[in-house]
Amino acid sequence: MDNFYIFADTLSALKKYFLVRSWLLFLFIIPCLRLAAQTDSSVRKEPAVQAAPVQVQRAPGDTAARPVKKKAPVVKRDSAGVIIPASALKPAAPAAPAVTPSTTPAVATVPAKAAASTDSVQQQAVVPLKQETAFELFLKELTAKNVFLKANKPSRLDVNKLRVYEDLDWLVYVMAGVVLLLGIIRLSYLKYFSDLFRAFLNPTLSQRQLKDQLSQSPFPNFLLNSYFVISLALYLYLLMYRQQYITSNTAWMAIPGLIVLVAMVYGVKYVMLRFCGWLFGSAELADAYIFILYLINKVLGILLVPFLVILAFCTPQLAKAFMYISIFFIVLLVAYRYIRSYSVVKQYLSFSRLHFFLYLCAFEVAPVLIITKVLLVALTGGL
């Protein structure tokens, strides 16, 4: 029985031995099969292409020149093993030209490497990575055609004069306020306006009757006198602005100053006329003259409104033309005032026309000229 167990153990040991031996033999055969599949005894191994040796040429007188080795012919084959003719290969770089006897230094030429062999597969067309869109093509065409987008477009010089910017927004509001104030006065006192223009256009009416009709409304009389002062002050400012005596930066000081100046001139004139009438015992004559004076002033203040708008906003050429037209109307109204004053004063006093002319020159024209000259000297610095 013991022999049977010994035999069984021996048999299992042999099985394990032969099994291990089979596995080792199998692992050894597999690499051998791979090497046998890659080796082909029918194809002869070709030598690798070697770089051409450096050829050195020396001058004819140089005795130390070495012989030039010739390059061995290179045989090329394609992937199928067919020999490629030498004409299909790219030619090598040309040799350097011969050195003349006068050239003393040595010249060394190194030919380029032989070009790679061409395969039977043709090269495919190169496709760009990014295709141009329709918008890019349109921009390219527009850049080529439009003269303003070209790189070498013609240059033109800007010959326009540099104008200084002036902020005149305030003038719009001032003119709007003047026109609005006149509209409010007229709508509020419509009967007074009708009596005012009736007295202005009909000098043959009774003076006492006109005074009684207009004296019944003292407040609109004061409003129109104040409106005349504002209108005349703005007119003087625009005249000096158009003649470039002052700039728009000084308007905040010039316009109130002109309003005060006009109010002072006519206030002093009113006080002097009242004083002269009391001094010479001609109060009724002074009242008649003051009535005519302020009647013409009220009409003048209303007449200047359209000229104010034109002088404020139109072009310099048009403003200059309307400036002369406005001066003509002012002179016409002043002459009309003196004519009416002469006809009224003649009813109370007997005097010659020469005396009346001297009075106008001394008390009417001379103060206006003096004030104008003082203003021009102050604004222009005595030029």
Side-chain angles (χ1 to χ4, degrees), residues 97-116:
V99 181
T100 57
S102 61
T103 305
T104 55
V107 179
T109 59
V110 180
K113 293 183 178 181

Side-chain angles (χ1 to χ4, degrees), residues 217-331:
S217 303
F219 186 67
N221 187 22
F222 171 75
L223 287 179
L224 281 179
N225 286 329
S226 302
Y227 188 81
F228 162 74
V229 172
I230 297 173
S231 180
L232 184 60
L234 286 175
Y235 177 76
L236 293 176
Y237 167 77
L238 291 175
L239 280 184
M240 291 185 291
Y241 173 72
R242 288 296 183 176
Q243 296 298 320
Q244 297 181 355
Y245 291 122
I246 57 176
T247 59
S248 60
N249 298 330
T250 60
W252 62 272
M253 181 177 61
I255 294 177
L258 289 173
I259 291 175
V260 173
L261 178 63
V262 174
M264 287 180 58
V265 168
Y266 280 93
V268 171
K269 192 172 186 178
Y270 176 80
V271 173
M272 289 297 297
L273 288 174
R274 285 293 184 183
F275 177 75
C276 291
W278 172 79
L279 182 63
F280 296 105
S282 302
E284 188 176 359
L285 177 60
D287 290 340
Y289 182 76
I290 290 172
F291 172 76
I292 295 174
L293 174 64
Y294 284 92
L295 174 67
I296 303 300
N297 288 345
K298 295 183 186 74
V299 176
L300 179 60
I302 298 172
L303 182 64
L304 287 177
V305 173
F307 292 103
L308 292 178
V309 177
I310 294 174
L311 290 176
F313 302 116
C314 66
T315 58
Q317 294 79 10
L318 192 61
K320 190 173 183 179
F322 276 92
M323 181 181 67
Y324 291 122
I325 295 173
S326 63
I327 293 173
F328 171 75
F329 278 107
I330 292 173
V331 172

Side-chain angles (χ1 to χ4, degrees), residues 164-194:
V164 180
Y165 172 73
E166 294 182 357
D167 187 8
L168 297 177
D169 294 342
W170 61 268
L171 191 58
V172 177
Y173 301 112
V174 171
M175 291 296 107
V178 169
V179 176
L180 181 62
L181 179 60
L182 179 61
I184 292 174
I185 295 173
R186 185 182 181 279
L187 291 177
S188 302
Y189 304 99
L190 189 58
K191 185 177 181 304
Y192 182 84
F193 259 79
S194 61

Side-chain angles (χ1 to χ4, degrees), residues 42-75:
S42 61
V43 179
R44 188 168 55 89
K45 187 176 179 181
E46 299 293 338
V49 179
Q50 299 179 356
V54 178
Q55 296 181 3
V56 180
Q57 297 181 1
R58 295 183 181 274
D62 193 357
T63 57
R66 297 179 180 179
V68 180
K69 296 181 179 181
K70 293 184 180 181
K71 176 179 154 182
V74 180
V75 178

